Amino acid sequence: MQDWLDGYEHRPIEGCTGPGTYVAGTPWRWVAHTTEGGNCSINGLIPFFQGRPCSTPHFAIDPCQRRKVQFIRLPWSSAALKNLSGGVETNRAHAVQTEITGRAAETPSWPDEWVTFVGEHIADLVRAGVPLNLDNVKDCVGPEAGTIATPHAPQRMSYAEWNGFDGICFAAGTLVVSERGLVPIEDIKVGDMVLTHAKRFRPVTATTVNRSSTLTLVGHGHPGLVTTPEHPFLSVESSLVRDNSTPTRWRRLEFSVPEWIEARDLVGRYWATPTEFPVLAVPEVKRSTGQGRRNRIAVTPELFRLAGRWVADGHLCDNGKIAVSCHRDEEAEVIAEMEAAGFDRHHTSAGGPNVVQVMCSSVDLSAWLIEHFGQYAWGKTVPTWLLCADEKYRSEFLDGYLAGDGHVEPGGVFEAKTVSKRLAVGVRLLAESLGYSTALYLREGGPAVIEGRMVNTRDAWRIKGRVPGGRGTATTVIDGHRFARVKDAEFDPAEVVVYNLAVEEDESYVADGIVVHNCGHQHVPENDHWDPGNLNIQRAVQHAKAILGGMVMPPPGPAPQPPAPVGPRTLSKGSKGEDVARWQSRLAGRGYWIAADGDFGSLTDGVTRWFQSARGIVADGIVGPQTYAAMDAAESEGWKPSNMGGAPVPSPAPPPPHPPWPGRYLMVQSPLMRGDDVRQWQQQMAARGWRLSVDGIFGEESRRVCSAFQAEKGLAVDGIVGYSTWTAAWTKPVT
């Protein structure tokens, strides 16, 4: 990123403004303000800011005189973006501030050339390396539009608006606890009722989607929750204190009051999992017409034990038959469970040398199980209403599930396994509601050889915890949440598609069983604002896009009619047909796990976004000319993704003339990165003549050499060894 932009008058100002206040991974924004002075007034503005270094923006531009002035370096924070008491730290959130000379009330009458001049400035920022999202523009609208933003004016953004300004926070596939179940965050809709930190359900008021660098948090309770570094989590910290009132002066942990802490600061602290849930009604088993049982099936604790057993080891056969597989030694136990639930007609068939299938028939129960608990091993789940049901139902279901898919060790530890993430998260939350201290573990799937055959295995989830009263658990329960330690965090600079939710009143939700806040801060702030008055900022941004795309803006007036579509039709979520199946087949050919069923659903939408993100195009899930062209190029190159949403790497068809990129970004972080890949890169750089220690530790010296090498070879200068920089270390000529 450039420090000082070409074509600008440079008037450096020091003082309150300085480097080092930005936090890696936060989204970039452009904040535009009018100066509330006359047009053509930039000569008076320059000495004003020079005399007030603590009120200095990055830029001041004068559309009237076509003058552009820069006061502080682009990567520095703007001291003019104030951190009001109890508010968001807006001047640490990668906000680039520009003052536009003129009065807000006069902007509607500005000539088009003034508006396009603002667009030129926006394009300058993007070309200088500021990753602005030009598809997410906030206008100042309503009765306050065209007026200066007073401290409490409506133009000032709430924390949700400020952080939704460039849409962040969780990766696709993160499960949100809603009234309609554990739903992937990308499928949450406005109006969905989600569980909040206040242990109640509140409606979603907005959803956002964008691309961002991420942080993977690992701790007791989750094996790797992918979020953005600034996302707040409900958290406590612990301290070890000595109790002098006891003869042995034994030590104990004491915990702080829960507060919202950003993800980047969570390691060593504790995050929260809900242990209490609001009451929801248990749905009845619907009675079918003309078939099945004559009487309605009663919802009893015994029915829930059978449901738990079926979720663990059951499947549905034809004509409403419910089958539960078990060891021959457990046959009598399963039959007794069916009879207790009211099903006295059953039979057994062999399922293997020591396996039997105990079956009973009920069309009504079959439909109820499918509707609320899913089907197939990978598609089963725990409905949210069960988490909110009476303890007797929850306890019997968990006992039935553990009898089939789990076990309890003598030391008081229970364990269960499943290939369904929704089931794993649901069972964990269910166990937490019953007082268990639980954690999740993941064994990632992929290609594997089983019985001599190469197969693609699914992710395997393991739920493990201690029964109530068990010893050795390093957790605590405070106000209906269990707090457990966060152990590690790994930052990934590669941008992937991420999502966020705004929630009425509480602005919080539960992501993969962990309590999180809407991206932003825990307080309701008087945040910064966007007040270029009624300036046609949308047209300014369109002009910036045209400049960046090498096009000329059309003159003001009605837009020309677009030409008739040529080529394959545009596909998006909800599309169906043979062309959808062909697109799915092409994705599968690139290595993505997807079936060509001709239905463009949530899975196809997510995989399409991953592909788009990996190929460096807008990840909007829409298959149009740009995405078709990206697929054509990927197929011609033989390209396949290194990981879902990760950076693309070439197919290793002929052996490369250099060691392959290790697959991780080498960069300065805390703790410092170590490894043979670091040492290998250092050795190569030393062999090329660069002076650095070959110690396998990527510290400031390695970052400095990396940046200098990138500048010398015309690469993006970020001090990070990615694929391009690694390859260049072996392929670029020594100069």
Side-chain angles (χ1 to χ4, degrees):
M1 179 178 295
Q2 297 180 28
D3 277 2
W4 298 96
L5 271 60
D6 297 333
Y8 285 66
E9 302 173 41
H10 298 156
R11 305 294 181 97
I13 294 178
E14 305 293 341
C16 285
T17 304
T21 58
Y22 277 173
V23 181
T26 55
W28 287 82
R29 309 167 179 88
W30 178 56
V31 180
H33 298 160
T34 49
T35 63
E36 293 309 300
N39 300 323
C40 305
S41 60
I42 198 167
N43 283 333
L45 199 62
I46 293 173
F48 175 85
F49 285 130
Q50 289 177 326
R52 294 168 176 80
C54 293
S55 299
T56 307
H58 290 83
F59 302 95
I61 63 174
D62 190 331
C64 172
Q65 298 184 1
R66 293 191 62 82
R67 288 178 64 187
K68 300 178 289 187
V69 178
Q70 183 176 1
F71 297 107
I72 60 177
R73 299 175 186 273
L74 191 55
W76 287 10
S77 63
S78 171
L81 294 174
K82 302 297 184 184
N83 292 341
L84 299 183
S85 177
V88 177
E89 295 186 53
T90 51
N91 68 350
R92 299 181 68 229
H94 282 168
V96 178
Q97 183 186 5
T98 298
E99 293 289 335
I100 307 172
T101 59
R103 294 184 174 88
E106 299 172 357
T107 54
S109 60
W110 278 9
D112 286 319
E113 55 266 27
W114 290 16
V115 178
T116 56
F117 179 76
V118 176
E120 292 171 10
H121 171 62
I122 298 171
D124 291 340
L125 298 178
V126 176
R127 286 184 295 200
V130 180
L132 297 177
N133 180 3
L134 299 186
D135 293 317
N136 190 11
V137 179
K138 182 173 179 61
D139 281 317
C140 179
V141 297
E144 296 287 329
T147 63
I148 189 170
T150 58
H152 300 281
Q155 294 102 307
R156 292 194 176 270
M157 302 179 192
S158 69
Y159 63 83
E161 290 174 320
W162 174 255
N163 288 283
F165 189 13
D166 198 34
I168 42 182
C169 284
F170 282 94
T174 303
L175 298 176
V176 175
V177 179
S178 73
E179 282 192 354
R180 63 186 178 98
L182 294 171
V183 180
I185 192 168
E186 64 270 26
D187 292 334
I188 290 288
K189 308 297 182 187
V190 171
D192 276 340
M193 302 293 288
V194 299
L195 183 68
T196 74
H197 75 287
K199 295 170 287 184
R200 60 182 183 173
F201 289 98
R202 283 293 178 266
V204 173
T205 57
T207 64
T208 56
V209 58
N210 208 335
R211 295 175 64 194
S212 174
S213 301
T214 57
L215 195 70
T216 300
L217 295 172
V218 178
H220 186 94
H222 202 287
L225 181 57
V226 180
T227 181
T228 45
E230 73 286 357
H231 201 118
F233 286 64
L234 189 62
S235 174
V236 300
E237 59 182 348
S238 66
S239 58
L240 197 61
V241 298
R242 186 180 297 276
D243 190 344
N244 293 323
S245 65
T246 63
T248 58
R249 296 182 179 181
W250 58 280
R251 297 185 297 173
R252 69 177 187 277
L253 284 177
E254 286 192 353
F255 295 89
S256 64
V257 175
E259 58 183 324
W260 298 106
I261 300 295
E262 292 184 350
R264 63 170 63 86
D265 299 323
L266 275 182
V267 174
R269 295 180 62 97
Y270 294 68
W271 56 13
T273 293
T275 60
E276 297 177 6
F277 298 85
V279 176
L280 289 179
V282 175
E284 295 182 343
V285 180
K286 297 177 182 178
R287 185 175 173 182
S288 56
T289 303
Q291 58 179 326
R293 294 174 61 95
R294 182 173 300 174
N295 299 318
R296 185 183 299 276
I297 297 175
V299 176
T300 63
E302 291 76 16
L303 180 66
F304 278 90
R305 182 177 182 86
L306 177 59
R309 174 79 76 163
W310 179 84
V311 167
D313 286 325
H315 65 276
L316 299 180
C317 305
D318 296 334
N319 301 321
K321 289 182 179 178
I322 301 161
V324 175
S325 299
C326 63
H327 193 275
R328 289 187 179 276
D329 295 342
E330 299 176 296
E331 179 182 355
E333 181 181 345
V334 173
I335 290 174
E337 290 172 353
M338 286 185 176
E339 291 178 344
F343 300 95
D344 52 2
R345 290 184 294 177
H346 45 73
H347 67 277
T348 302
S349 64
N354 294 305
V355 177
V356 296
Q357 293 181 347
V358 183
M359 288 177 278
C360 64
S361 297
S362 173
V363 173
D364 296 351
L365 181 58
S366 297
W368 187 74
L369 290 171
I370 293 175
E371 178 182 2
H372 298 291
F373 297 91
Q375 61 178 328
Y376 310 119
W378 49 267
K380 290 179 179 177
T381 185
V382 173
T384 301
W385 56 257
L386 180 55
L387 303 177
C388 306
D390 188 278
E391 181 180 348
K392 60 187 178 184
Y393 296 140
R394 290 181 277 129
S395 179
E396 288 295 334
F397 179 90
L398 184 61
D399 287 348
Y401 177 76
L402 292 178
D405 253 358
H407 65 276
V408 179
E409 299 175 0
V413 175
F414 81 83
E415 183 175 320
K417 298 178 181 178
T418 176
V419 295
S420 168
K421 179 182 177 181
R422 289 203 300 169
L423 181 58
V425 173
V427 168
R428 176 173 179 257
L429 291 173
L430 185 69
E432 289 286 351
S433 76
L434 293 167
Y436 291 72
S437 171
T438 60
L440 281 183
Y441 301 88
L442 172 64
R443 187 190 69 208
E444 294 184 349
V449 177
I450 298 179
E451 296 182 354
R453 296 184 298 114
M454 178 64 71
V455 298
N456 278 328
T457 61
R458 296 183 182 274
D459 289 348
W461 294 86
R462 183 162 55 102
I463 315 105
K464 190 173 182 179
R466 294 187 178 275
V467 296
R471 299 180 59 187
T473 174
T475 65
T476 187
V477 176
I478 302 174
D479 191 25
H481 296 96
R482 182 180 299 281
F483 289 87
R485 189 180 294 275
V486 179
K487 302 174 183 177
D488 195 13
E490 182 176 351
F491 177 69
D492 186 350
E495 292 188 344
V496 298
V497 179
V498 287
Y499 302 80
N500 187 35
L501 309 176
V503 181
E504 184 177 282
E505 297 179 354
D506 296 346
E507 294 297 351
S508 62
Y509 50 99
V510 179
D512 274 5
I514 306 298
V515 181
V516 301
H517 203 278
N518 188 352
C519 284
H521 201 270
Q522 62 271 31
H523 302 297
V524 177
E526 292 172 343
N527 217 339
D528 219 282
H529 58 287
W530 173 275
D531 68 351
N534 276 330
L535 173 65
N536 191 340
I537 202 68
Q538 293 284 356
R539 181 162 179 81
V541 171
Q542 289 303 315
H543 187 74
K545 289 182 177 181
I547 294 173
L548 296 169
M551 301 177 290
V552 178
M553 281 295 287
Q561 292 297 317
V566 178
R569 69 166 174 148
T570 298
L571 307 176
S572 61
K573 194 171 182 179
S575 300
K576 299 179 185 293
E578 293 183 2
D579 49 358
V580 174
R582 286 193 296 271
W583 171 249
Q584 292 167 328
S585 295
R586 298 181 76 179
L587 287 171
R590 295 302 92 219
Y592 295 95
W593 295 351
I594 188 170
D597 59 6
D599 185 356
F600 202 118
S602 297
L603 177 60
T604 305
D605 176 76
V607 173
T608 298
R609 291 174 189 266
W610 288 331
F611 169 76
Q612 291 168 325
S613 177
R615 296 297 290 181
I617 61 178
V618 176
D620 55 9
I622 300 174
V623 183
Q626 188 180 31
T627 303
Y628 281 122
M631 177 60 78
D632 292 340
E635 290 174 337
S636 65
E637 298 167 8
W639 174 92
K640 289 188 177 182
S642 61
N643 55 65
M644 290 301 187
V649 297
S651 175
H658 58 80
W661 180 49
R664 68 166 178 164
Y665 293 86
L666 309 183
M667 58 189 294
V668 173
Q669 64 178 28
S670 180
L672 294 176
M673 297 184 72
R674 302 167 181 262
D676 292 337
D677 48 355
V678 176
R679 184 182 302 276
Q680 190 174 30
W681 178 80
Q682 291 172 331
Q683 288 173 338
Q684 177 63 13
M685 296 303 293
R688 293 179 65 101
W690 293 90
R691 297 180 59 182
L692 81 165
S693 302
V694 181
D695 55 6
I697 304 172
F698 199 95
E700 283 298 329
E701 182 184 55
S702 294
R703 183 199 60 76
R704 177 184 54 78
V705 170
C706 176
S707 297
F709 175 71
Q710 290 169 329
E712 178 184 283
K713 301 307 177 187
L715 302 171
V717 180
D718 56 9
I720 299 173
V721 182
Y723 177 79
S724 298
T725 303
W726 177 278
T727 303
W730 276 269
T731 59
K732 293 287 186 180
V734 178
T735 55

